[in-house]
Amino acid sequence: MMKFTTSWMTEYFPSFSGAAAEEIPIHHVYTDTRQQTEKALFVPIVGENFDGHAFLQSAITNGAVASLWKKDVPVPAYVPNDFPLFMVEDTISALQQLAHAYRQEVNPTVIGVTGSNGKTTTKDFIASVVSTTYQTHKTKGNYNNHIGMPLTILDMPTSTQILILEMGMNHFGEIEQLSQIANPDIAVITNIGESHIEHLGSREGIAQAKSEILAGLKEDGLMIMDGDEALLAPLHSRKAVTSIGFGSNNRYVLSNVTSNEQGAQFTLSEQGSFEIPLLGRHNVKNASYAIVIANHLTISKESIQDGLAALKLTGMRLEKITGHNDVLLINDAYNASPTSMKASIEVVKELPNYSRKILVLGDILELGTQSESLHRSVAETITEPINMVIAIGNTAPVIVEEINKHVPTIETYAFRSKEDACKLLQDHLSKETVILFKASRGMALETLLPSLTEQ
Ligand code: ATP
Ligand code: MG
């Protein structure tokens, strides 16, 4: 489907060569020439190891009909004279500028989602609910950075009514930039945790960095946030702001949360009761952001509930798996921060019908100098009915040290390698048992699962 023409682009990139001024239709915008695509605009990215400008030949072979081009890179002799090249100072900035222009041209309602944890889940909940009623386009997977987000915008069909964008960051200034490109009508801050504390110094720093989403939010745009997070309180001074949380101070108050193997049930103020196919109080909150947005967009309660129920589970996020002897394995090994590890432990504590509860916890990476104390803080949530904790890695064993001090009745183990944990777990597979697997991506704890599930 056509997105725009090269002639439309000349308005934004007046320095061009070839037949750019003609109405050549562009159906795709891409950076990776290994993708086979028709009628595409190629964006050569200058990376650390590769310079995309070297791949124009294969882009043309694979269907590119025009390209952005960094001014000071010589144009290769093989490029046909009429091939449209848009000369720019910097191809990434140009990609962002193009994304912004296209966003304004299509002009859907844009929803930007940021926060330390829960961005992808919240984005997927919003899309699942909103797509019951509107033409919706959303970030695929985790395409949430300064290149992925613009590409997501440029990937939206012209008929899009609602665009949902995940915005990720490591440093100050990044969310501000993404927000200015996306110019959201609605912004969500899911929570403030400890991810990237290395670069941002403190939780206050993290809250400040997430609040940068206000930079591009429309003047009268709606800000939705985790109202249980005191560090976000300064945002209350905004005109249009809505807080959601468990505290009674919130505009929308969450209550009556129950969960079972199927998922969670809860009540959200005057919106009523809902069910979601995910476990965990944090997911109840993520779903609530979607409910409030849907309500704002006048979607009916029935459609909201249908959308929540239809959520497609993304792998390794509190994923429920039945193992040997009907043991329940909860694979939450996609990634971890101290906040998300605590949240997952709470989920296990609250599960009814399991008399034996085991946690397999691995290292949480990228915590900088506060790594050890943040690992120790995880132990605060580890109390009965947890029966056993297995820590794996270089730092996670301090969690076990802390448990031994405060709750000596819990059986604990600390291992350097995953293989040792695997042997121990073999003796604990029964239908009364639930085992949680949680660690940073680098630990790849999911490799423990096959030996616990295969017959
Ligand atoms: P990334 O930075 O990797 O893109 P993300 O913000 O998109 O992460 P998700 O992928 O949705 O987050 O969830 C990752 C993990 O964070 C979940 O498995 C869960 O443990 C935890 N989590 C999700 N939502 C919340 C929340 N609202 N508060 C605290 N922890 C959460
Ligand atoms: Mg994500």
Side-chain angles (χ1 to χ4, degrees):
M1 234 192 309
M2 185 174 94
K3 302 267 163 51
F4 44 80
T5 64
T6 50
S7 147
W8 175 80
M9 286 178 65
T10 61
E11 195 182 318
Y12 303 95
F13 306 103
S15 170
F16 53 83
S17 63
E22 289 174 22
E23 302 280 338
I24 301 170
I26 302 292
H27 290 211
H28 304 281
V29 179
Y30 77 142
T31 58
D32 181 349
T33 58
R34 286 166 299 185
Q35 285 170 19
Q36 176 76 36
T37 170
E38 292 290 296
K39 300 181 182 167
L41 171 74
F42 175 52
V43 181
I45 305 279
V46 182
E48 271 170 35
N49 302 316
F50 295 102
D51 181 347
H53 292 89
F55 300 96
L56 182 60
Q57 176 79 78
S58 80
I60 295 174
T61 311
N62 283 337
V65 293
S67 180
L68 297 183
W69 197 261
K70 190 172 159 67
K71 273 191 179 112
D72 51 16
V73 177
V75 177
Y78 62 73
V79 179
N81 275 343
D82 60 348
F83 187 84
L85 289 179
F86 293 90
M87 301 298 173
V88 299
E89 293 294 334
D90 175 83
T91 52
I92 294 179
S93 307
L95 170 71
Q96 295 169 340
Q97 192 192 344
L98 184 65
H100 180 74
Y102 183 62
R103 176 256 177 268
Q104 303 300 10
E105 181 76 18
V106 176
N107 205 19
T109 296
V110 178
I111 304 170
V113 181
T114 193
S116 297
N117 314 95
K119 296 180 291 296
T120 298
T121 313
T122 299
K123 178 255 304 178
D124 289 343
F125 263 129
I126 298 170
S128 194
V129 168
V130 166
S131 63
T132 59
T133 313
Y134 296 101
Q135 290 266 6
T136 305
H137 184 74
K138 66 166 182 177
T139 302
K140 287 200 186 76
N142 217 17
Y143 250 48
N144 65 17
N145 71 6
H146 63 297
I147 296 172
M149 194 202 75
L151 286 173
T152 302
I153 294 177
L154 290 162
D155 192 35
M156 89 174 137
T158 51
S159 57
T160 303
Q161 294 172 297
I162 312 269
L163 172 64
I164 307 158
L165 297 171
E166 174 169 342
M167 300 182 181
M169 53 89 79
N170 301 317
H171 299 95
F172 284 115
E174 290 172 347
I175 295 291
E176 176 174 358
Q177 186 189 43
L178 295 180
S179 179
Q180 272 158 350
I181 297 165
N183 191 203
D185 299 87
I186 300 174
V188 184
I189 302 181
T190 56
N191 89 322
I192 301 301
E194 297 89 1
S195 325
H196 310 297
I197 202 160
E198 262 189 318
H199 305 299
L200 302 169
S202 61
R203 289 186 77 255
E204 284 75 9
I206 297 171
Q208 195 189 326
K210 305 296 176 196
S211 303
E212 287 174 9
I213 198 166
L214 289 172
L217 179 63
K218 289 205 175 142
E219 181 81 27
D220 54 353
L222 177 62
M223 173 82 234
I224 298 175
M225 63 178 190
D226 177 1
D228 294 331
E229 174 54 65
L231 291 173
L232 293 175
L235 300 186
H236 278 293
S237 57
R238 245 191 93 80
K239 219 177 358 178
V241 60
T242 283
S243 62
I244 297 174
F246 293 93
S248 57
N249 56 313
N250 286 297
R251 167 66 185 84
Y252 292 93
V253 180
L254 278 163
S255 58
N256 302 327
V257 180
T258 56
S259 47
N260 54 30
E261 298 85 77
Q262 265 67 54
Q265 303 81 39
F266 59 97
T267 307
L268 180 65
S269 292
E270 71 269 15
Q271 304 286 320
S273 298
F274 297 91
E275 283 179 35
I276 54 171
L278 301 191
L279 294 169
R281 287 165 77 86
H282 56 290
N283 282 326
V284 163
K285 209 180 247 184
N286 296 339
S288 300
Y289 299 130
I291 296 169
V292 169
I293 288 173
N295 188 47
H296 184 74
L297 298 171
T298 67
I299 296 175
S300 72
K301 179 164 186 219
E302 291 68 39
S303 298
I304 295 177
Q305 180 53 65
D306 289 348
L308 294 175
L311 182 81
K312 299 272 178 305
L313 291 171
T314 322
M316 291 198 272
R317 291 173 173 89
L318 290 178
E319 189 182 348
K320 295 158 285 189
I321 300 166
T322 306
H324 272 317
N325 302 334
D326 290 332
V327 64
L328 176 65
L329 307 172
I330 301 185
N331 179 3
D332 200 26
Y334 169 70
N335 219 338
S337 67
T339 313
S340 71
M341 191 175 273
K342 288 180 203 167
S344 303
I345 293 168
E346 292 297 343
V347 169
V348 173
K349 282 162 73 174
E350 284 166 19
L351 270 186
N353 309 330
Y354 293 88
S355 56
R356 223 173 141 63
K357 299 185 171 183
I358 301 178
L359 309 177
V360 180
L361 308 176
D363 287 347
I364 308 170
L365 308 173
E366 290 181 56
L367 292 176
T369 53
Q370 301 181 49
S371 177
E372 187 180 320
S373 61
L374 287 169
H375 275 87
R376 285 188 193 279
S377 78
V378 171
E380 289 160 15
T381 51
I382 304 179
T383 55
E384 279 166 9
I386 300 295
N387 306 93
M388 188 200 268
V389 178
I390 301 173
I392 305 174
N394 293 323
T395 321
V398 303
I399 304 174
V400 155
E401 266 178 47
E402 212 57 30
I403 299 168
N404 294 344
K405 271 190 243 163
H406 301 291
V407 202
T409 48
I410 297 179
E411 201 176 327
T412 58
Y413 299 87
F415 297 120
R416 290 268 163 195
S417 87
K418 291 189 275 189
E419 288 64 37
D420 296 327
C422 197
K423 282 185 215 124
L424 176 66
L425 284 170
Q426 297 296 341
D427 300 333
H428 294 276
L429 309 178
S430 72
K431 76 174 191 340
E432 297 77 36
T433 305
V434 52
I435 311 177
L436 170 75
F437 298 84
K438 181 84 176 165
S440 274
R441 186 80 299 272
M443 298 294 291
L445 276 194
E446 69 279 5
T447 58
L448 286 170
L449 295 173
S451 68
L452 307 175
T453 51
E454 281 154 18
Q455 293 303 312

